[in-house]
Amino acid sequence: MANEKKMVEQITSMEEDFAKWYTDIVKKADLIDYSSVKGCMIIRPYGYAIWELIQQNLDARFKATGVENVYMPMFIPESLLNKEKDHVEGFAPEVAWVTHGGSERLTERMCVRPTSETLFCEHYANIIRSYRDLPKNYNQWCSVVRWEKTTRPFLRSREFLWQEGHTMHATAEEAEARTLQMLNVYADFFEADLGIPVLKGRKTDKEKFAGAEATYTVEALMHDGKALQGGTSHNFGDGFAKAFDIKYLDKDNKIKYAHQTSWGVSTRMIGAIIMTHGDDNGLVLPPAVAPIQVVVVPVQMHKEGVVEAATKVRDEIAAYARVKMDDSDNSPGWKFAEYEMKGVPLRLELGPRDIEQGQCVLVRRDNREKIFCPLDKLAETIPAVLADITKALYEKAAANRANRTWEAHSLEELCEIAANKSGYIKAMWCGDLECELKLKEQADVSSRCMPFGEEPIGDVCVCCGKPAKKLVYWGKAY
Amino acid sequence: MANEKKMVEQITSMEEDFAKWYTDIVKKADLIDYSSVKGCMIIRPYGYAIWELIQQNLDARFKATGVENVYMPMFIPESLLNKEKDHVEGFAPEVAWVTHGGSERLTERMCVRPTSETLFCEHYANIIRSYRDLPKNYNQWCSVVRWEKTTRPFLRSREFLWQEGHTMHATAEEAEARTLQMLNVYADFFEADLGIPVLKGRKTDKEKFAGAEATYTVEALMHDGKALQGGTSHNFGDGFAKAFDIKYLDKDNKIKYAHQTSWGVSTRMIGAIIMTHGDDNGLVLPPAVAPIQVVVVPVQMHKEGVVEAATKVRDEIAAYARVKMDDSDNSPGWKFAEYEMKGVPLRLELGPRDIEQGQCVLVRRDNREKIFCPLDKLAETIPAVLADITKALYEKAAANRANRTWEAHSLEELCEIAANKSGYIKAMWCGDLECELKLKEQADVSSRCMPFGEEPIGDVCVCCGKPAKKLVYWGKAY
């Protein structure tokens, strides 16, 4: 029990210090560890298992839309990075440079990829000749490096794991359709599997990807009212195609430039899960990405038949859920706290009296509800409860977002909300960069996105008062 | 048909020029492409799909033995790399150095990992305290960089994909058992799934891993008689544990050093598959790692009902095999050549007459055997034929190895065999480095391994004539 107390004591409450609460969870739930490599993290088995489940789920979704995986070199020669002007300006300040191979200085230095548009483009220029070669729907799972000054586990680290899809199309329409298709794949994964409601929309020019024509985003609102960009999907038009000379002979016998997209999500997603669903007892994992969905805790283990009965239950559950039995020497109380910390969605307690009555107790991680369940009904009950947990997580997060979404109709009002409340601020915008910068300066908010399918809430810019057609969600962001 | 001829013409025969034949296959079967990043390769969708199947298969085998996946940073600070003397001497000459982050020079340069022992050790030193924390069985899938002068796709490239397992144990015995357990996992995968017979044995001190106490290997013999190290498993003893201060409190209340192993296989394996099974028509893939196991080719596609019948057959096969139907405009002849080049294990031809008779023709890639199969027997026949192909590939490769394994009882005899024949040369060795170096100099062979469970073939060293107890397989290697 000493252990249990110690563990619980060590978690800062989220109300008290949200940033510290976050850092406590990533450490105490054994998600990451630090090393002597500054700004990088070690992803520990439990954290990596979450990432593997995210990967498997998304990879299957990608492949269902015709995406194929490839692997590109991790290095980019400086001259290749320099080929597209906006792109190099966006990334060159934050790349790691390799200057030596063994004891020899390289004739041309290379950066470790911060993203791989340039490599994909060079390859596409080699392999695309005719309309028959299109579309190309490639993706890669890899790590990338961006030399950030301030880092936080999962949210911003110098190296992170991600996937980057890069596709090539015959027409602008097809590229736009693919851009939105992948945005919807992300949105559906967030909402249906992670239980995280997202706002879908378009980024302003200031916030779009370096080199893109349009960037779309799925934005999630964290428990503390700050926004997190969950995934982005970019339409590049034919900008890179022109810089890299990616042309094809069309059916009409004309040479045309190809149209391009890219889209990515990263280990940041794990940060979003923590900050959307977590509580003062630790992590709360949505069942779809929980390495352990059900933990079986035998109670009064020394009594005859308890461990045997728990083992039988564990083996049965293994047919339809990721299950673990903990029959270690630690006390039940320690185990309860430990698996709550690790965010296991469902705990199954089984003691001598339960066995006598042919039942067990299921305890939900999200709301601590206790469910007495006959042992012969587990196969129907557990999957249903897991599905219900995802739904409940979604609803709770959606309610948090609704409670933290405000409207502002004047600069004064916007500044007042930004200063005293947390969350999204909806306001009209004229489209000028100057106003966007002014809001950043005066209210410390950035534009999160121009949402799809929402009605304007006025007709003048919240900042300058000029006519405005664009509704923007503003906020502070991770 | 123009395409077909062109494609066939472009393959060099393996008898004529084995190296060129190899390069032709990796390009023509769409496994890789080159880029402006010298010494690195682009792994294209078809090549990467093979790697994904290898990963899935091995990952499941690892996890069945209790292995957990993690992710370590890709960078290693120079001071960390320097901590174990033998290790740094082995790797420092061939690493890529990062010296700048953005526009700033780093206070300490970092290398891109050539392997991650040092990072794992630093982490283990942080998390191992007690015997309760042992064993730790960690693995990571990642890419590593070694600055090679001469490179060849899959066989030797500056960046390659691999897995590296790193485990920590309470006792020397347990570490040795894990080292051999993982070697056996590799051996079984090579033999049962890839159809590649391997020689299991121990490396001489000269050939062992930098910092290891003992290195074990699975060696495969390529079609041209050169050997390829397929995978290695190392027992580190407590050498790194001492350098990194990895200690634990044992049950007996004494502080002890932990014992360590590491083991890895890489995308080299794809090179082994090509050079073991390939022929002058291209790649020959073992079914376990074939992205397409069965290709359905409708014949006389313009005839009514052919494409429909082929689609139905394709959909049925999809329940138990990875299947593709090619109903493109290309001629059947072109398709036959194309899927032979790509090494698809089984081709299914279906034309109007077949449909009338309720049958189809199955053509094996490995021996071109034609099998007439009733359409209602495909579900039994195809899995059986695929299993038989793996067996036949294994037997053919085993026969090649048997035909290319020689014995030498004197230095003269060994030099003569090395000069005029290809393959393994079995010979006794006294254990002295001098003799090993002399054989390299005079016969251009290296020690491949000291095989497990083989009887000595003499009692004096083939080189110096002194008493010798060690049987060694010598050969030229990739």
Side-chain angles (χ1 to χ4, degrees):
Chain A
M1 296 301 282
N3 247 328
E4 184 189 352
K5 271 191 207 137
K6 198 177 152 211
M7 197 171 63
V8 176
E9 273 164 27
Q10 283 173 339
I11 308 171
T12 309
S13 113
M14 63 196 325
E15 290 303 317
E16 191 185 313
D17 185 342
F18 194 79
K20 183 142 197 323
W21 167 84
Y22 178 82
T23 315
D24 281 356
I25 287 195
V26 295
K27 282 284 292 179
K28 306 280 179 239
D30 293 339
L31 301 182
I32 70 115
D33 200 3
Y34 300 101
S35 72
S36 59
V37 191
K38 225 192 127 212
C40 295
M41 59 183 169
I42 293 168
I43 308 181
R44 300 190 66 184
Y46 195 64
Y48 198 79
I50 297 172
W51 181 240
E52 283 183 316
L53 290 165
I54 291 174
Q55 279 192 300
Q56 283 161 24
N57 187 314
L58 282 174
D59 198 66
R61 286 171 180 269
F62 295 163
K63 283 177 178 159
T65 74
V67 168
E68 300 179 291
N69 287 335
V70 300
Y71 188 78
M72 293 282 156
M74 72 152 82
F75 300 120
I76 306 173
E78 188 163 18
S79 56
L80 190 64
L81 187 70
N82 288 345
K83 268 197 155 181
E84 210 283 340
K85 201 182 124 285
D86 293 337
H87 189 69
V88 66
E89 278 174 16
F91 285 103
E94 57 173 38
V95 296
W97 290 105
V98 174
T99 55
H100 289 75
S103 54
E104 280 171 37
R105 172 174 281 276
L106 304 183
T107 52
E108 179 184 12
R109 66 179 186 163
M110 303 182 306
C111 71
V112 181
R113 63 180 160 222
T115 179
S116 307
E117 274 73 13
T118 52
L119 292 162
F120 275 88
C121 282
E122 186 188 40
H123 181 51
Y124 281 139
N126 277 335
I127 63 171
I128 293 170
R129 293 277 166 274
S130 134
Y131 69 92
R132 285 197 184 83
D133 301 322
L134 294 170
K136 288 276 184 248
N137 296 314
Y138 289 177
N139 174 64
Q140 79 174 349
W141 293 93
C142 64
S143 77
V144 287
V145 169
R146 297 177 188 177
W147 216 254
E148 307 278 359
K149 302 265 180 214
T150 324
T151 59
R152 296 187 65 194
F154 296 121
L155 299 176
R156 195 170 293 278
S157 54
R158 286 185 173 170
E159 181 189 9
F160 56 91
L161 302 180
W162 80 343
Q163 60 69 216
E164 46 178 324
H166 297 270
T167 72
M168 279 290 173
H169 306 271
T171 66
E173 293 69 36
E174 204 184 301
E176 180 68 5
R178 172 58 75 168
T179 311
L180 293 172
Q181 179 181 26
M182 300 320 288
L183 188 77
N184 286 326
V185 166
Y186 294 152
D188 192 62
F189 175 64
F190 266 97
E191 302 205 324
D193 289 328
L194 301 185
I196 299 178
V198 292
L199 191 66
K200 283 192 284 187
R202 183 173 173 164
K203 287 280 183 189
T204 60
D205 281 355
K206 175 178 178 295
E207 298 290 328
K208 76 181 184 187
F209 183 85
E213 220 165 62
T215 290
Y216 301 103
T217 182
V218 287
E219 299 278 323
L221 197 69
M222 303 298 96
H223 197 83
D224 64 345
K226 278 167 95 172
L228 186 143
Q229 180 177 298
T232 45
S233 188
H234 317 288
N235 186 341
F236 285 112
D238 57 8
F240 277 82
K242 284 177 174 159
F244 285 82
D245 207 32
I246 309 172
K247 288 182 294 202
Y248 70 96
L249 183 68
D250 204 355
K251 283 178 197 169
D252 60 10
N253 240 8
K254 287 184 183 150
I255 302 274
K256 297 175 184 174
Y257 285 108
H259 295 259
Q260 186 175 1
T261 84
S262 89
W263 28 275
V265 295
S266 74
T267 35
R268 265 202 133 194
M269 230 178 226
I270 298 175
I273 293 168
I274 297 169
M275 293 194 295
T276 304
H277 301 314
D279 64 24
D280 281 349
N281 295 309
L283 197 58
V284 177
L285 288 175
V289 299
I292 306 165
Q293 295 174 309
V294 184
V295 62
V296 176
V297 180
V299 180
Q300 294 189 272
M301 269 170 41
H302 58 284
K303 293 273 174 73
E304 205 191 314
V306 171
V307 171
E308 290 73 7
T311 306
K312 191 162 164 272
V313 165
R314 191 261 325 263
D315 293 347
E316 281 170 22
I317 296 174
Y320 51 83
R322 292 184 289 275
V323 60
K324 174 187 167 155
M325 176 173 71
D326 187 345
D327 58 352
S328 68
D329 288 343
N330 296 308
S331 73
W334 184 90
K335 291 176 190 173
F336 294 175
E338 170 71 8
Y339 296 103
E340 285 186 2
M341 175 62 74
K342 290 205 158 160
V344 174
L346 209 49
R347 177 171 81 229
L348 188 156
E349 303 171 11
L350 187 71
R353 193 175 306 173
D354 298 314
I355 296 168
E356 249 177 62
Q357 301 180 356
Q359 66 165 30
C360 65
V361 184
L362 297 172
V363 185
R364 284 172 61 151
R365 172 66 181 90
D366 62 324
N367 61 9
R368 303 203 157 200
E369 188 192 336
K370 283 195 173 193
I371 302 160
F372 292 86
C373 180
L375 292 175
D376 60 4
K377 297 280 183 227
L378 285 173
E380 312 146 39
T381 308
I382 287 177
V385 174
L386 291 176
D388 203 54
I389 289 174
T390 307
K391 235 176 101 190
L393 290 174
Y394 179 91
E395 280 160 14
K396 201 172 156 191
N400 179 52
R401 186 175 67 175
N403 290 335
R404 293 176 191 263
T405 302
W406 319 94
E407 288 189 7
H409 297 275
S410 69
L411 181 56
E412 197 191 352
E413 195 184 0
L414 194 149
C415 289
E416 204 247 300
I417 297 171
N420 299 304
K421 297 183 159 121
S422 66
Y424 290 130
I425 307 171
K426 293 163 70 168
M428 297 306 293
W429 175 55
C430 62
D432 283 353
L433 177 61
E434 261 175 63
C435 290
E436 199 173 354
L437 293 171
K438 195 170 173 188
L439 289 183
K440 179 73 193 166
E441 197 195 304
Q442 302 212 351
D444 193 25
V445 294
S446 59
S447 66
R448 304 317 310 148
C449 72
M450 298 176 282
F452 293 161
E454 281 198 43
E455 293 299 313
I457 59 165
D459 52 14
V460 295
C461 178
V462 72
C463 187
C464 66
K466 276 188 252 169
K469 287 191 176 154
K470 290 171 179 160
L471 172 65
V472 170
Y473 274 65
W474 306 87
K476 299 188 170 72
Y478 281 97
Chain B
M1 296 300 282
N3 249 329
E4 183 189 351
K5 270 191 203 135
K6 197 175 152 214
M7 197 172 65
V8 176
E9 271 164 24
Q10 283 172 337
I11 309 170
T12 309
S13 113
M14 63 196 324
E15 290 303 317
E16 191 186 308
D17 185 341
F18 193 79
K20 182 141 197 328
W21 166 84
Y22 177 82
T23 316
D24 282 356
I25 286 193
V26 295
K27 282 284 292 176
K28 306 279 180 242
D30 292 338
L31 302 182
I32 69 115
D33 200 2
Y34 300 101
S35 73
S36 59
V37 191
K38 225 191 128 211
C40 296
M41 59 184 168
I42 293 168
I43 308 182
R44 301 190 65 185
Y46 196 65
Y48 198 79
I50 297 172
W51 180 240
E52 284 183 315
L53 290 165
I54 290 174
Q55 279 191 299
Q56 282 162 24
N57 187 314
L58 282 175
D59 199 65
R61 287 173 178 268
F62 296 164
K63 283 177 177 158
T65 73
V67 169
E68 300 178 291
N69 287 335
V70 299
Y71 187 78
M72 292 282 157
M74 72 151 81
F75 299 120
I76 306 175
E78 188 163 17
S79 56
L80 190 64
L81 188 70
N82 288 346
K83 268 198 155 179
E84 210 284 340
K85 201 182 124 285
D86 292 340
H87 189 69
V88 64
E89 278 175 16
F91 284 103
E94 57 174 36
V95 296
W97 290 105
V98 174
T99 56
H100 288 75
S103 55
E104 280 171 37
R105 171 176 282 276
L106 304 183
T107 52
E108 179 185 12
R109 65 179 185 165
M110 302 183 306
C111 71
V112 181
R113 65 182 158 221
T115 178
S116 306
E117 274 73 13
T118 51
L119 292 163
F120 275 89
C121 283
E122 186 188 38
H123 182 50
Y124 281 140
N126 278 335
I127 63 170
I128 293 171
R129 293 279 168 272
S130 135
Y131 70 92
R132 284 196 184 86
D133 300 322
L134 294 171
K136 287 277 184 249
N137 296 313
Y138 289 176
N139 174 65
Q140 80 174 349
W141 293 93
C142 64
S143 77
V144 288
V145 169
R146 297 178 187 177
W147 216 253
E148 307 277 0
K149 302 265 179 214
T150 324
T151 59
R152 297 187 65 192
F154 297 120
L155 301 176
R156 196 170 293 277
S157 54
R158 286 184 174 172
E159 180 189 10
F160 56 92
L161 303 180
W162 82 342
Q163 58 70 217
E164 46 178 325
H166 298 270
T167 72
M168 279 289 173
H169 305 272
T171 66
E173 294 68 36
E174 204 184 300
E176 178 70 5
R178 172 58 73 168
T179 311
L180 293 173
Q181 179 183 25
M182 300 319 289
L183 189 77
N184 286 328
V185 165
Y186 292 152
D188 192 62
F189 176 63
F190 266 97
E191 302 204 325
D193 289 328
L194 301 185
I196 300 178
V198 291
L199 192 65
K200 282 193 285 188
R202 182 172 174 163
K203 288 280 184 189
T204 61
D205 282 354
K206 176 177 177 296
E207 298 290 329
K208 77 181 182 189
F209 183 85
E213 220 165 62
T215 290
Y216 302 103
T217 181
V218 287
E219 298 279 323
L221 197 70
M222 302 297 97
H223 197 84
D224 64 345
K226 278 167 96 169
L228 184 144
Q229 179 177 299
T232 46
S233 189
H234 317 288
N235 186 341
F236 285 112
D238 57 8
F240 276 82
K242 285 177 175 160
F244 284 81
D245 206 31
I246 309 171
K247 288 183 294 202
Y248 70 97
L249 183 68
D250 205 354
K251 284 178 199 171
D252 60 10
N253 240 8
K254 286 185 183 149
I255 302 274
K256 296 175 185 173
Y257 285 108
H259 295 260
Q260 185 175 3
T261 84
S262 90
W263 27 276
V265 296
S266 74
T267 34
R268 269 205 129 191
M269 228 177 225
I270 298 175
I273 294 168
I274 298 168
M275 293 195 293
T276 304
H277 301 315
D279 64 23
D280 282 349
N281 295 309
L283 196 58
V284 177
L285 288 176
V289 299
I292 307 165
Q293 295 174 309
V294 183
V295 61
V296 175
V297 180
V299 180
Q300 294 189 273
M301 269 170 39
H302 58 282
K303 293 272 174 74
E304 204 191 316
V306 170
V307 171
E308 290 75 7
T311 305
K312 192 162 162 272
V313 164
R314 192 261 323 265
D315 292 347
E316 282 171 21
I317 296 173
Y320 52 83
R322 291 184 289 275
V323 61
K324 175 188 167 155
M325 176 172 72
D326 186 345
D327 58 353
S328 67
D329 289 343
N330 296 307
S331 73
W334 185 90
K335 291 176 191 174
F336 294 176
E338 171 70 7
Y339 296 102
E340 285 187 0
M341 175 62 74
K342 291 204 158 161
V344 174
L346 208 49
R347 177 170 81 230
L348 188 156
E349 302 172 12
L350 187 70
R353 193 175 307 172
D354 298 313
I355 295 167
E356 249 178 59
Q357 299 180 356
Q359 65 165 30
C360 65
V361 185
L362 297 171
V363 185
R364 285 172 60 152
R365 173 65 182 90
D366 64 322
N367 61 11
R368 304 204 157 200
E369 188 192 336
K370 284 193 175 195
I371 302 160
F372 292 87
C373 179
L375 292 175
D376 60 5
K377 297 280 183 226
L378 285 174
E380 313 147 40
T381 308
I382 286 176
V385 174
L386 291 176
D388 203 54
I389 288 173
T390 307
K391 234 177 101 190
L393 290 175
Y394 180 90
E395 280 160 13
K396 201 171 155 191
N400 178 53
R401 184 174 69 175
N403 290 333
R404 292 176 191 263
T405 302
W406 318 93
E407 288 189 6
H409 298 276
S410 69
L411 181 57
E412 198 191 351
E413 195 183 1
L414 192 149
C415 288
E416 204 246 299
I417 296 170
N420 300 305
K421 294 178 161 128
S422 67
Y424 289 131
I425 308 172
K426 294 164 68 168
M428 297 306 293
W429 175 56
C430 61
D432 285 351
L433 176 61
E434 261 176 63
C435 289
E436 200 173 352
L437 293 171
K438 194 168 173 189
L439 289 182
K440 180 71 193 168
E441 195 196 306
Q442 300 211 353
D444 194 25
V445 293
S446 60
S447 66
R448 302 318 310 149
C449 73
M450 299 176 282
F452 292 161
E454 279 199 43
E455 294 298 314
I457 60 165
D459 52 15
V460 294
C461 177
V462 73
C463 186
C464 66
K466 279 189 250 171
K469 285 191 176 154
K470 290 171 177 160
L471 173 65
V472 170
Y473 274 66
W474 306 86
K476 298 185 171 72
Y478 280 97

